[in-house]
Amino acid sequence: MAVKTESFLHLARPLAPSVIGVQPTTSPLNVIIQPPAIFSILDHAIRRDIRDTQSTRVIGALLGVRSEDGIEVEVRNCFAIPHTENEDQVEVDVEYQKNMLALQLKANPREVLLGWYTTDLTLNSFSALIQNFFASPETGTFPYPSVHLTVSTEAGKEIEAKAYISAPVGVNAERAAESCLFIPVPYEIRYGESEKSGLELISGAKDSESRAAPVVSDIEGLERAVDQTLDLLERVSEYVSSVLDEEREPSNVLGQYLMNALSLAPKVDPHDIERDFNNHIQDVLVVSYLANTIRTQIDLSQRLATSTLTLGGSDALAGAGGEGAEKGDRGQRGAKRGGRGGGRTGGQREPREPREPREPAD
Amino acid sequence: MAELKDVPLNSVQVEALVVMKIVKACAATFPTTATGSLVGMDVNGTLQITNSFPFPTADVAASDAHPNDHMAASNIAAAAPRSKANVSYQNEMIKYLREVNVDANNVGWYTSANMGNFINTSLVENQYHYQKEVNEKTVALVHDVSRSSQGALSLRAFRLSPNFMVAYKEGKFTTENMQKTKLTYKDIFVELPIIVHNSHLLTSFLHQLPGPLPKTELEFPASLAELNKVAPRIPLYPNLESLDLSIDPYLEKTCDSLLDTIETHYTELNNFQYYQRQLAREQAKITAWKAKRAGENATRATQKLAPLPEDEWERLFKLPTEPSRLEGMLNARQVDQYARQVDGFTASITGKMFAVKSNLLPDSQ
């Protein structure tokens, strides 16, 4: 299941008789699937109920957005629908689908119903029946085509997916409800910049036996990235030296590519580098220093605010007497805090200063 | 806490599905705060979070007259987990999820953050709202959208500490009380380690991302153009974007936030000083009154009259109430969080910069 299929032959779907006033479309359709939707389908496949149904597949609805011209649909979300299936009949919980759809749309008002998925690659007459339900004007996506996504979830095999839209076929009237023509459409798994870090974390667990990975800090992530880069460089230099030793077949193109990459290293005067480097690193360190100073100050202030000061409390005790003893204690502390506050107003302006010289340093 | 607690929570295990759903939901509404509910179960002290769904905020977006003014929307979204409508929404959603064999226990909620600015009253109130229930094993997952864009995913799990729960329940954040309970800003939250877990099917799927590996030995490309065209897809793990050198925007943002917290601290300080001045004034008045009454009584004693009661001042004067220390504590915790964040930035950026320098100036070593 590739992220993107390289080339695809679009088949125009046959025009169906439709309502007057609605222009039927035969334009090609592209399906874009976001990773959360796929993850959700796979999760549902694992959680299928095997007790009271013979079917091995589960079904659910696809939600997402449709481009204005209707030729691109983006599957962003999906939800499972309970259904039972046996040799001669299929039952879909329509009520459940309706309520769940309403709930989902409440949280994601921009999303619409796009179609449905199942976790088996086969298309049969039940598929057609459900497809017609999802494509119908009352309960489905009409006038837009309803997308049907099939994902294979057989253990030990590669996960495959196929996307279809449908058109009615000319069979006799009694069987029209349970027959339709499935036309394959291309699909693409697309993930945004924001999802990359999440996918990275999840992919980190893919080679481990326990299928689990801890959330790492930035510095650990950096270490891994550096390790990976070193490993890649190692491999390239190994290849280059084996070419030099005439052990491996040389390639002009690869040589040219490597030369291009090497020429990207900037030519700068060592003094400039030294200066910029020192400036920048000092700025960073100053910010860090100041941040920690502020932290210490605040920590101190919190501690002073809640600690019992016994040393200075006694003269205040003498002054205020009785009831005032405790308050005087606090008054004493107030003076201390005031003093500290004065010191801090100076510190408050400080973090701004290093920023001015830093900007030219960039 | 009073109820039977077999094993306290010690870690959080998040399904990959939940991670992706949270990332998606938070990124979609950024910079407005996004919140949602988590479902799962707890197994021997490990809280397994297996699914999540966002809270509806549609009415906010519609009623908000200024689309740019995301602050109002943020505030309402941040309050969403404890609003009444969403509690019923959550219950209904869980009821439906149960029918498709999803774990039907609410185990907490998630929220999005921007550069670590998540420690505020809203977080405390929401988590309190969840944790005070009978099923108190709930967590707050915080996903930092801005930090995640800089490299490693930032997802953290928090709970309120039992001490803080007690104090918050009583609503007493006075100085005396805090001296007695030794509650400091460091004890508000307990952070739990997070482990991400994949299902078998998902592992199988991840091995096919971003593309299948070539099965046969590749031919050498004939030209540079061809090489560029068939460039291999960059693997998702590890993320080489963490090698990026640009740090200034993040540092600048954190500095701004730090300055804001100092402002808050200063306001708190002023409030407290005002309270102390008020208190001192009242104290002085009381002392004067007492002296006057004592003098009167002395004169009355010489005139053989019954002395006037000496404790009337309690009715005449009202001592000002001490401002709550909660805000200050949260602010201190927030500063702590920012400073640690800056430390983290500094650690990685200095490493990277030294690497770059020794790469450009190999002789200077």
Side-chain angles (χ1 to χ4, degrees):
Chain A
M1 175 172 200
V3 166
K4 190 180 177 180
T5 32
E6 291 298 328
S7 51
F8 198 90
L9 179 66
H10 283 275
L11 301 172
R13 62 179 187 143
L15 279 181
S18 70
V19 192
I20 299 154
V22 179
Q23 187 67 42
T25 169
T26 56
S27 54
L29 181 85
N30 283 305
V31 180
I32 294 158
I33 307 167
Q34 291 198 341
I38 290 272
F39 285 23
S40 192
I41 294 172
L42 296 180
D43 182 72
H44 184 200
I46 294 168
R47 291 173 184 279
R48 68 168 183 262
D49 207 340
I50 47 167
R51 280 164 303 174
D52 54 352
T53 170
Q54 289 96 37
S55 70
T56 51
R57 65 178 190 178
V58 288
I59 66 162
L62 300 172
L63 298 172
V65 289
R66 188 184 277 120
S67 68
E68 259 171 48
D69 48 3
I71 62 163
E72 198 172 82
V73 296
E74 195 169 333
V75 179
R76 292 192 176 168
N77 200 353
C78 59
F79 62 87
I81 303 172
H83 90 301
T84 51
E85 200 173 319
N86 50 36
E87 270 142 43
D88 51 353
Q89 64 169 352
V90 58
E91 247 177 69
V92 178
D93 195 336
V94 179
E95 198 60 29
Y96 181 93
Q97 189 260 351
K98 212 168 78 189
N99 292 334
M100 194 65 170
L101 183 66
L103 278 178
Q104 291 276 358
L105 295 187
K106 215 167 141 193
N108 304 297
R110 260 168 293 180
E111 293 179 359
V112 290
L113 182 69
L114 289 179
W116 64 293
Y117 68 82
T118 181
T119 54
D120 194 82
L121 284 182
T122 51
L123 299 170
N124 53 25
S125 57
F126 293 151
S127 299
L129 199 67
I130 304 171
Q131 172 73 10
N132 286 338
F133 168 77
F134 275 97
S136 70
E138 298 87 29
T139 51
T141 57
F142 190 81
Y144 298 101
S146 155
V147 177
H148 178 39
L149 184 72
T150 58
V151 183
S152 77
T153 52
E154 213 175 316
K157 300 242 177 79
E158 295 218 331
I159 290 169
E160 262 183 279
K162 287 192 168 69
Y164 303 93
I165 53 172
S166 69
V169 281
V171 285
N172 53 0
E174 302 93 75
R175 300 204 52 200
E178 53 185 277
S179 47
C180 69
L181 175 65
F182 281 104
I183 302 150
V185 286
Y187 72 90
E188 181 186 331
I189 297 173
R190 188 183 288 174
Y191 40 88
E193 279 298 312
S194 58
E195 282 159 349
K196 248 186 170 168
S197 58
L199 279 171
E200 184 214 358
L201 181 69
I202 293 161
S203 311
K206 74 177 176 185
D207 292 324
S208 80
E209 194 75 26
S210 60
R211 295 172 285 126
V215 175
V216 296
S217 64
D218 284 359
I219 194 90
E220 286 168 287
L222 178 68
E223 188 190 341
R224 279 201 317 233
V226 169
D227 278 347
Q228 167 84 356
T229 319
L230 284 179
D231 188 39
L232 290 174
L233 288 176
E234 189 76 17
R235 274 164 67 188
V236 172
S237 73
E238 205 171 284
Y239 168 74
V240 171
S241 40
S242 65
V243 167
L244 287 179
D245 294 347
E246 299 186 355
E247 281 165 12
R248 292 185 66 169
E249 198 185 336
S251 157
N252 285 346
V253 178
L254 284 185
Q256 199 180 347
Y257 184 80
L258 289 176
M259 280 304 285
N260 283 354
L262 282 178
S263 65
L264 286 178
K267 269 238 168 305
V268 210
D269 187 36
H271 294 288
D272 288 350
I273 297 174
E274 194 78 45
R275 200 195 56 227
D276 289 351
F277 172 79
N278 286 336
N279 281 347
H280 200 145
I281 207 121
Q282 271 170 18
D283 289 341
V284 172
L285 289 179
V286 161
V287 170
S288 164
Y289 170 74
L290 286 172
N292 279 304
T293 313
I294 293 168
R295 186 176 75 184
T296 320
Q297 292 274 11
I298 302 263
D299 190 8
L300 198 64
S301 134
Q302 286 289 316
R303 267 163 204 272
L304 283 177
T306 53
S307 64
T308 32
L309 295 183
T310 46
L311 199 66
S314 51
D315 13 337
L317 190 83
E323 155 87 15
E326 189 195 343
K327 313 287 179 194
D329 176 17
R330 204 177 295 154
Q332 189 74 12
R333 193 183 50 252
K336 284 209 178 181
R337 297 181 79 219
R340 204 204 46 70
R344 195 202 42 72
T345 22
Q348 182 188 359
R349 230 164 283 119
E350 270 168 340
R352 286 215 187 272
E353 280 160 21
R355 240 190 288 151
E356 270 92 54
R358 191 171 71 230
E359 265 133 23
D362 293 345
Chain B
M1 304 245 92
E3 67 261 349
L4 294 170
K5 192 149 66 168
D6 28 0
V7 192
L9 288 181
N10 49 34
S11 71
V12 177
Q13 176 181 312
V14 186
E15 276 305 314
L17 169 68
V18 180
V19 176
M20 291 314 290
K21 275 192 164 182
I22 293 177
V23 168
K24 180 205 152 207
C26 294
T29 58
F30 184 77
T32 308
T33 311
T35 48
S37 181
L38 303 169
V39 294
M41 58 181 157
D42 119 76
V43 181
N44 295 333
T46 301
L47 192 69
Q48 297 182 349
I49 301 173
T50 50
N51 213 329
S52 75
F53 53 89
F55 285 127
T57 47
D59 41 344
V60 182
S63 63
D64 200 3
H66 311 283
N68 291 331
D69 184 10
H70 59 82
M71 286 315 287
S74 263
N75 290 341
I76 299 175
R82 59 181 186 279
S83 79
K84 236 186 205 123
N86 283 322
V87 173
S88 58
Y89 177 83
Q90 176 179 311
N91 291 340
E92 194 156 345
M93 195 64 146
I94 289 175
K95 195 180 89 198
Y96 281 112
L97 286 177
R98 186 202 295 273
E99 285 191 40
V100 285
N101 301 329
V102 175
D103 296 331
N105 301 312
N106 176 255
V107 292
W109 61 291
Y110 67 81
T111 182
S112 66
N114 185 4
M115 294 311 288
N117 67 346
F118 54 86
I119 295 165
N120 46 29
T121 23
S122 192
L123 183 76
V124 171
E125 273 172 47
N126 286 340
Q127 182 58 23
Y128 177 76
H129 170 80
Y130 275 95
Q131 222 168 300
K132 76 172 193 295
E133 304 287 323
V134 188
N135 171 25
E136 58 99 33
K137 290 186 174 174
T138 54
V139 290
L141 280 188
V142 179
H143 170 58
D144 198 318
V145 184
S146 314
R147 283 190 70 185
S148 300
S149 69
Q150 196 232 346
L153 182 87
S154 165
L155 189 71
R156 302 169 75 182
F158 290 100
R159 276 170 60 76
L160 293 175
S161 71
N163 289 348
F164 184 82
M165 282 298 287
V166 174
Y168 194 85
K169 200 171 178 185
E170 291 166 1
K172 274 196 265 175
F173 286 98
T174 55
T175 313
E176 289 96 310
N177 205 29
M178 283 168 67
Q179 280 167 353
K180 211 161 58 201
T181 53
K182 300 249 180 299
L183 194 70
T184 65
Y185 68 93
K186 285 182 181 141
D187 309 324
I188 302 178
F189 294 108
V190 181
E191 185 165 0
L192 299 172
I194 297 187
I195 295 167
V196 174
H197 183 260
N198 297 341
S199 67
H200 281 293
L201 266 182
L202 194 61
T203 310
S204 166
F205 172 64
L206 284 172
H207 276 282
Q208 292 167 266
L209 274 180
L213 289 175
K215 301 264 184 328
T216 55
E217 185 104 358
L218 290 174
E219 295 284 312
F220 279 118
S223 70
L224 211 54
E226 197 189 323
L227 181 65
N228 287 334
K229 204 181 129 209
V230 297
R233 295 190 180 90
I234 296 160
L236 293 166
Y237 168 85
N239 190 352
L240 295 185
E241 267 169 44
S242 56
L243 292 177
D244 196 3
L245 265 180
S246 100
I247 184 84
D248 293 349
Y250 300 101
L251 273 184
E252 202 171 318
K253 184 86 187 39
T254 316
C255 282
D256 282 343
S257 318
L258 257 179
L259 290 179
D260 285 346
T261 54
I262 292 177
E263 281 311 304
T264 320
H265 179 75
Y266 202 56
T267 321
E268 284 297 309
L269 208 64
N270 278 341
N271 279 347
F272 216 81
Q273 275 170 357
Y274 176 74
Y275 158 72
Q276 266 159 0
R277 277 201 302 276
Q278 278 301 88
L279 191 69
R281 207 172 296 148
E282 293 295 314
Q283 287 287 333
K285 275 192 207 160
I286 291 170
T287 328
W289 185 85
K290 271 183 183 166
K292 193 169 149 244
R293 182 53 58 94
E296 272 176 34
N297 277 348
T299 12
R300 283 172 84 95
T302 51
Q303 293 164 358
K304 301 250 167 22
L305 286 170
L308 290 168
E310 294 218 1
D311 50 359
E312 254 176 35
W313 61 272
E314 278 170 16
R315 280 189 288 112
L316 291 173
F317 299 100
K318 202 163 161 278
L319 288 177
T321 49
E322 186 180 348
S324 168
R325 291 243 173 227
L326 178 62
E327 196 68 28
M329 275 170 74
L330 287 177
N331 197 46
R333 181 68 180 77
Q334 179 74 75
V335 169
D336 191 60
Q337 149 78 18
Y338 283 139
R340 280 172 205 286
Q341 189 169 303
V342 170
D343 278 353
F345 286 151
T346 321
S348 56
I349 194 70
T350 30
K352 282 185 256 184
M353 285 190 55
F354 273 104
V356 170
K357 186 198 170 199
S358 54
N359 187 30
L360 289 176
L361 302 169
D363 335 319
S364 69
Q365 293 299 304

